[in-house]
Amino acid sequence: MHTRIREVRKAKGLTLAEVAARCSPPTTAQTIGRLETGTRTVSVGWLNRIAAALGVDPSELVSLPGRPDVPVLAVLGTSGAEQPRRAMVLTAPLVQDNLVGMIVDVAQGDYRAGDEIWLSQLPPDRYAEALHKDVLAPLAGGRFTFGRLIAAEPDRILVLPPVPGVQPVAAPPPPWICVASVLVRKL
């Protein structure tokens, strides 16, 4: 089985030691390294532990049939576009049950017209995970607010829209919010 543990870990900006410490129970950086390189067999148990430590679904750590890997041709760094030092692949995002979408019709902040934003729905007990991230939250009358979640208090949430100079929107805590997790932008 080909795993993508290293790619996911690096994409999250974590070291081997940080992933090892996040495992439950904790393990060593050497063990995580062996699992990444294939010198140690990755069991389903290890896959689940490492996925939890990385905050991803276990299926995102393996190559799956019907979910094509796209070869990475170049890496854009401080010296410009360069050939990768080793073979790398990108995998199409996994569609999850709690995924919803939003289309940007008019440019706002960092979002351009035509952008597609994929959002993951969260219940109230997980709102703290969305602090300082862009969220979509329902309001009364079938309306929504979208922007950076800057507060999630017991009696209200506070969302800062992406438009400069606009005041934060305060609302009673909704039954759910959706966190922006993937931006699809056509060039």
Side-chain angles (χ1 to χ4, degrees), residues 138-171:
L139 299 174
R143 296 178 307 124
F144 297 93
T145 184
F146 177 76
R148 187 68 38 109
L149 182 65
I150 55 176
E153 301 165 357
D155 61 332
R156 71 179 184 150
I157 63 167
L158 205 54
V159 177
L160 182 62
V163 179
V166 175
Q167 294 296 313
V169 175

Side-chain angles (χ1 to χ4, degrees), residues 86-171:
R86 59 179 176 73
M88 299 170 72
V89 295
L90 297 174
T91 302
L94 180 67
V95 176
Q96 301 165 350
D97 290 338
N98 66 345
L99 208 58
V100 296
M102 182 172 77
I103 295 172
V104 178
D105 194 36
V106 176
Q108 293 188 19
D110 292 334
Y111 297 101
R112 298 180 192 164
D115 284 354
E116 298 172 0
I117 304 171
W118 297 13
L119 307 112
S120 301
Q121 196 169 18
L122 293 179
D125 63 336
R126 294 184 53 203
Y127 286 179
E129 296 173 29
L131 282 172
H132 309 292
K133 296 179 182 175
D134 286 346
V135 301
L136 177 70
L139 299 174
R143 296 178 307 124
F144 297 93
T145 184
F146 177 76
R148 187 68 38 109
L149 182 65
I150 55 176
E153 301 165 357
D155 61 332
R156 71 179 184 150
I157 63 167
L158 205 54
V159 177
L160 182 62
V163 179
V166 175
Q167 294 296 313
V169 175

